[in-house]
Amino acid sequence: MNQYFEEGEIFTWVKDREKNEPSLVIALKMQKESYRNGSKQAMIAQDIRTGKKYFLKVLFCSNLEQIYVEKESKVQLYSPYIIRIYGGMLDEKNRRFITLVEYIEERDLSDLVSGRGLAGKTWNEKLKTCHIIALKFLYGIDHYNSLHGRDPIVHRDLKPENILASPDGSTVKIIDFDWVHLHDSNVTVMYRREQKGTPGYADPHYWNSYICRREMDIYSAGLVLYFLYTGTHHFHGNEELQRYMLGDDYAYEIKEMPGIDERLTAILAKMIAREEYRYRDIREVIRDMEAYLRSIGKLPELPELLRQEEGKDTIRLSYKVGDVKYSPYLKNYRFVPIEFGKKQERSQNGKKSGHILSFYRMGDCIKAVIFHEDCHRLIEKIPGRVSEGDLFSYGGVNIEILQIKKRG
C-alpha cells in the first residue's frame, strides 16, 4: 500500500547527494495536497524554519529501478524562466522517491489564456503581454537546449499546462521535466520506449521513437505560441487529433491566425514545419522573433538578458559582500554577477551558474536582478533601482551598496 503524505504531517527531506554537492536538509510541514493518482502524489509543503513553500512530487516505486527513470530531480537548471528543482530523495522504507521543486502561485498558461486572465484591457495591450511571455518562454528553452552542444537537454512535453505565467508576464516558468532527456544519459533510451509527450503538442514523427532532438521542443513550442496568441489549441477534437497523429502534412501546416500579423504567423509556421524545413535551433526562433518585434516597435525589455551596445562612459559601483569590498566600473548594459564565495568576475550576459544576483547599468541607473530564491533585498531606497545604502542578504551575508559614481 502506498504511504501517501497527509496534510499536517511533518517530514524531513534530505537531498540525495552527488559527489562534491552540499547537503540540503529541510524540515517540512505538509499543507495541501495538489493531486493523488495511483503511484503519484503532489503536496504543497512549508519549511518549518523559514516559512518558505515548496512543491513536493512523490513517485511510489514498486520496483526501485523506476528511480533511475525519475530524471526530473537531476534537472537543476539556473534560469529565471525555468522552475527551480532542488533535487531528489529516496525514501527506501516507504519505497517512494521525492522531488523538491520551487513553488510559485501563478496559473498555468492554459488556465491563464482560456480564463481571459492576460493583463490588458485592449487587444493591443494583451498582445504586448503575449510578446513578453513568448520571449521569456523561448529564452527558457534556449537555456536548457544550448548547455551541452550535440547532446542537448530536451523537455519532450512542452504544452500550455507546463508553463506557469503571471497575468502581466513578469513571471514565466517552464515546469514539469518528468519526461526530460538529460545530457549524457542513455536512460531515456533504455527505459522510455515511447515519446510520452502530449497529443496535439508532441511531434508525431517522434511519438514512438528512441530519438531525442531539440527540433522536438521547437515543434511543441510553436504550438504553445499558437495557443498563446489565438487562445485555441491548434489541434482539437478527436478527428483532428487522429489526423495529426498520422504524421502527414496536416501535422506540419499552420492554421490561419485571424488578427495576427502574417510575419509572426510565418515564424510559427516554420517552428512546426516538417523537420527538413523547421528551425534547427531555438536561437534562430529568438532571432526572428526579436527582429519582428523590433520592426514594429514592440520588443520588450528583458533586463537580465540585454543585448544592447555599450556606452562610452562608466559608473563606478562600490559594494561589500560580507567584509570584502569590490569596485567595478560599469559601461552601459554591463552585468556584474555576484557569485557567493567566489572571486568576482565581469559578465555581459548574467547567465553564469552560481549567481545569486547581478547588478547592471541602464543609462545613468544601476539596477539589480535577483537569481537565487534565498537572496533578499532588505533595503531599497529608490524603487526600481540600486542606490547607495541599499542592502541585500544571502545566507546570512550582507551585500551593501557603498558608492555609485559616474566617470566621464
Side-chain angles (χ1 to χ4, degrees):
M1 178 179 291
N2 293 335
Q3 186 66 37
Y4 293 108
F5 285 112
E6 301 296 338
E7 294 179 7
E9 182 179 344
I10 305 297
F11 179 80
T12 300
W13 183 86
V14 183
K15 179 181 178 180
D16 288 350
R17 292 183 62 182
E18 301 285 343
K19 186 177 180 180
N20 298 324
E21 275 192 335
S23 60
L24 183 60
V25 180
I26 304 176
L28 297 167
K29 183 176 182 179
M30 303 300 152
Q31 288 195 319
K32 183 180 179 181
E33 186 175 63
S34 293
Y35 66 81
R36 180 186 297 194
N37 183 14
S39 64
K40 293 186 176 182
Q41 182 187 28
M43 298 289 298
I44 298 171
Q46 188 173 43
D47 186 330
I48 294 174
R49 183 178 62 86
T50 66
K52 179 180 174 62
K53 289 185 178 180
Y54 294 90
F55 194 65
L56 247 70
K57 300 179 72 172
V58 187
L59 173 67
F60 295 94
C61 313
S62 56
N63 181 349
L64 290 181
E65 285 189 3
Q66 290 179 264
I67 296 165
Y68 299 106
V69 186
E70 182 51 46
K71 303 296 290 182
E72 185 177 34
S73 65
K74 305 289 187 183
V75 184
Q76 295 174 48
L77 301 171
Y78 202 81
S79 165
Y81 310 133
I82 297 175
I83 204 74
R84 181 75 184 276
I85 299 171
Y86 298 93
M89 170 190 177
L90 174 61
D91 179 3
E92 290 193 61
K93 178 182 178 181
N94 295 301
R95 304 183 74 82
R96 58 190 179 185
F97 190 84
I98 305 159
T99 303
L100 193 67
V101 182
E102 175 185 9
Y103 173 77
I104 59 174
E105 295 185 354
E106 308 299 349
R107 298 155 69 182
D108 68 57
L109 203 58
S110 178
D111 185 34
L112 189 67
V113 173
S114 300
R116 299 183 180 181
L118 290 173
K121 296 180 180 179
T122 66
W123 166 246
N124 284 333
E125 289 175 348
K126 290 184 181 294
L127 202 56
K128 181 180 178 181
T129 301
C130 288
H131 295 330
I132 294 171
I133 293 173
L135 273 184
K136 291 185 175 183
F137 170 54
L138 293 173
Y139 276 126
I141 298 172
D142 175 42
H143 179 78
Y144 67 72
N145 248 190
S146 61
L147 288 178
H148 300 292
R150 294 184 180 180
D151 184 20
I153 293 174
V154 184
H155 187 286
R156 303 205 305 161
D157 196 20
L158 293 175
K159 57 184 177 180
E161 291 79 5
N162 284 342
I163 295 95
L164 301 182
S166 54
D168 63 356
S170 57
T171 297
V172 176
K173 301 272 189 180
I174 299 172
I175 67 168
D176 204 349
F177 286 78
D178 279 354
W179 297 104
V180 68
H181 167 71
L182 285 176
H183 166 68
D184 199 26
S185 170
N186 60 5
V187 173
T188 311
V189 175
M190 290 168 58
Y191 291 101
R192 294 187 170 174
R193 299 190 178 184
E194 58 275 332
Q195 152 63 16
K196 287 298 184 182
T198 297
Y201 283 91
D203 185 343
H205 178 67
Y206 291 103
W207 189 259
N208 291 309
S209 170
Y210 292 92
I211 302 170
C212 291
R213 300 168 61 96
R214 56 169 57 93
E215 287 88 345
M216 296 162 60
D217 278 0
I218 293 174
Y219 179 87
S220 300
L223 294 175
V224 169
L225 294 185
Y226 180 92
F227 176 80
L228 172 65
Y229 283 106
T230 66
T232 59
H233 300 290
H234 193 275
F235 304 106
H236 55 85
N238 289 334
E239 184 177 339
E240 287 198 7
L241 287 174
Q242 287 174 8
R243 286 191 63 190
Y244 139 87
M245 285 296 292
L246 293 175
D248 58 14
D249 289 343
Y250 183 73
Y252 302 103
E253 294 177 352
I254 198 79
K255 291 182 179 179
E256 290 186 4
M257 299 176 68
I260 301 299
D261 192 314
E262 61 182 13
R263 291 171 291 177
L264 178 56
T265 302
I267 294 172
L268 271 57
K270 191 173 179 180
M271 293 177 73
I272 73 164
R274 286 193 177 276
E275 193 168 308
E276 57 266 34
Y277 305 112
R278 193 180 307 167
Y279 287 105
R280 297 292 183 185
D281 193 299
I282 201 70
R283 291 184 179 180
E284 297 175 3
V285 183
I286 293 172
R287 177 200 64 202
D288 286 357
M289 280 288 288
E290 288 187 337
Y292 161 67
L293 294 174
R294 191 178 293 110
S295 72
I296 61 172
K298 301 293 185 182
L299 182 64
E301 276 190 359
L302 303 180
E304 60 270 37
L305 295 167
L306 286 171
R307 299 284 194 267
Q308 289 88 338
E309 294 182 1
E310 299 176 349
K312 293 183 179 179
D313 60 353
T314 60
I315 289 180
R316 185 179 185 183
L317 172 65
S318 296
Y319 60 93
K320 286 198 308 182
V321 180
D323 296 326
V324 182
K325 181 179 176 181
Y326 303 93
S327 297
Y329 290 92
L330 275 70
K331 294 182 179 180
N332 221 11
Y333 307 111
R334 173 62 62 89
F335 278 86
V336 175
I338 309 302
E339 298 181 282
F340 186 73
K342 295 183 179 180
K343 182 180 178 181
Q344 300 300 299
E345 297 176 354
R346 297 185 182 213
S347 166
Q348 275 188 283
N349 57 27
K351 289 173 66 175
K352 282 187 176 181
S353 62
H355 285 178
I356 57 172
L357 78 152
S358 279
F359 297 120
Y360 64 97
R361 178 185 168 189
M362 288 184 66
D364 291 335
C365 295
I366 303 296
K367 296 193 175 185
V369 57
I370 294 176
F371 287 100
H372 199 286
E373 75 287 340
D374 290 331
C375 183
H376 305 284
R377 195 165 190 160
L378 302 180
I379 298 176
E380 183 180 27
K381 293 196 171 183
I382 302 177
R385 62 189 295 179
V386 175
S387 306
E388 294 178 5
D390 281 4
L391 189 65
F392 299 80
S393 178
Y394 172 76
V397 176
N398 286 339
I399 302 159
E400 181 182 0
I401 307 302
L402 303 175
Q403 185 183 56
I404 299 173
K405 187 175 181 180
K406 188 172 182 179
R407 298 171 63 91

